[in-house]
Amino acid sequence: MSGYTFENDPIFTRRSIRKFLKRDVPLSLIDAMINAAIQAPSAKNRQPWRFIMLAGEHKAEFERCMESGLDREENGAPLLPRSSSGLPDARNTLRIIKEAPLLIAVVNTNGKSPFVPVDSDDRVTEICDTLSIGAAVQNMLLTAEKLGLGTLWIANTCFAYPELTELLKTDGQLVGAVAVGYADEAPMPRPRKSIEEISEYRN
């Protein structure tokens, strides 16, 4: 675009980080990320998000519960049998979580478990709240990039949903998690579809 440079813009420099240094993240930086998250727009201003920061033994317990859920999916009573091909990737995600110094669990305070039926009205509300939470998480990730931190937006928590929600003591909907730390890698940008592929202008 004429008159605008993308150089050093966190929208374009942000990467998904899967290797972290063994270095704690100052609480002041986490507070900055959360403050940015809560500035996001939300449907009807419901602000349906809750962020649970986990470090130390609390994060270790999250890891144990997630591993238990993955074991159950593989060997017991799978909740997502048609998604079993994603379990190896979920195991790798667990490895990343163990390496990151901090994990932020993201909860939709208005949401219900994805494993119980909802009516059409509740489904529309859920979609709107999920959009709102996505905006909040994007604010968080971009702020982390500005602060020199690496992040990974995680959805593989779905495989251990009951184990993790019980651990977190929440009756809200666990949307996912964000691993946070100082990056120990500098990934190249991933391919993106062109503007022409994904958009159209109707005059």
Side-chain angles (χ1 to χ4, degrees):
M1 288 184 184
S2 176
Y4 186 82
T5 175
F6 296 133
E7 185 178 357
N8 298 323
D9 188 317
I11 292 175
F12 294 88
T13 60
R14 187 210 60 81
R15 302 286 180 267
S16 294
I17 298 302
R18 293 173 172 84
K19 294 181 180 180
F20 293 93
L21 296 171
K22 294 185 182 302
R23 179 181 170 191
D24 290 337
V25 178
L27 183 59
S28 60
L29 300 189
I30 301 303
D31 285 346
M33 291 171 59
I34 300 301
N35 188 41
I38 64 177
Q39 306 311 312
S42 65
K44 311 301 182 187
N45 198 32
R46 282 193 292 267
Q47 304 177 54
W49 40 67
R50 182 168 179 78
F51 305 103
I52 304 171
M53 277 69 78
L54 302 167
E57 182 55 34
H58 291 284
K59 186 170 77 73
E61 185 62 25
F62 185 100
E63 293 159 6
R64 287 191 286 271
C65 284
M66 185 163 172
E67 186 163 19
S68 176
L70 296 178
D71 289 343
R72 173 188 47 70
E73 284 292 305
E74 289 180 337
N75 305 312
L79 295 174
L80 298 168
R82 292 192 291 111
S83 299
S84 61
S85 62
L87 286 168
D89 183 65
R91 292 280 184 190
N92 187 51
T93 297
L94 179 58
R95 175 197 63 78
I96 296 163
I97 290 172
K98 290 179 178 180
E99 193 172 300
L102 182 81
L103 188 73
I104 303 175
V106 182
V107 174
N108 175 356
T109 56
N110 297 328
K112 300 175 182 176
S113 167
F115 301 103
V116 299
V118 297
D119 63 28
S120 298
D121 291 286
D122 286 344
R123 180 69 71 203
V124 170
T125 298
E126 180 183 68
I127 290 170
C128 293
D129 285 344
T130 302
L131 288 169
S132 304
I133 290 167
V137 170
Q138 179 77 335
N139 279 8
M140 186 189 301
L141 302 185
L142 295 178
T143 299
E145 176 72 11
K146 290 180 183 178
L147 296 172
L149 297 171
T151 56
L152 181 66
W153 179 213
I154 293 165
N156 277 329
T157 51
C158 59
F159 288 109
Y161 190 91
E163 290 84 0
L164 295 176
T165 52
E166 181 179 358
L167 171 71
L168 295 171
K169 295 180 173 58
T170 179
D171 56 3
Q173 184 183 81
L174 177 61
V175 178
V178 178
V180 184
Y182 290 93
D184 194 21
E185 62 174 349
M188 296 296 292
R190 300 289 297 274
R192 301 292 178 184
K193 294 180 180 179
S194 69
I195 292 175
E196 292 75 18
E197 284 182 279
I198 56 85
S199 64
E200 59 178 293
Y201 297 88
R202 297 183 180 182
N203 293 325

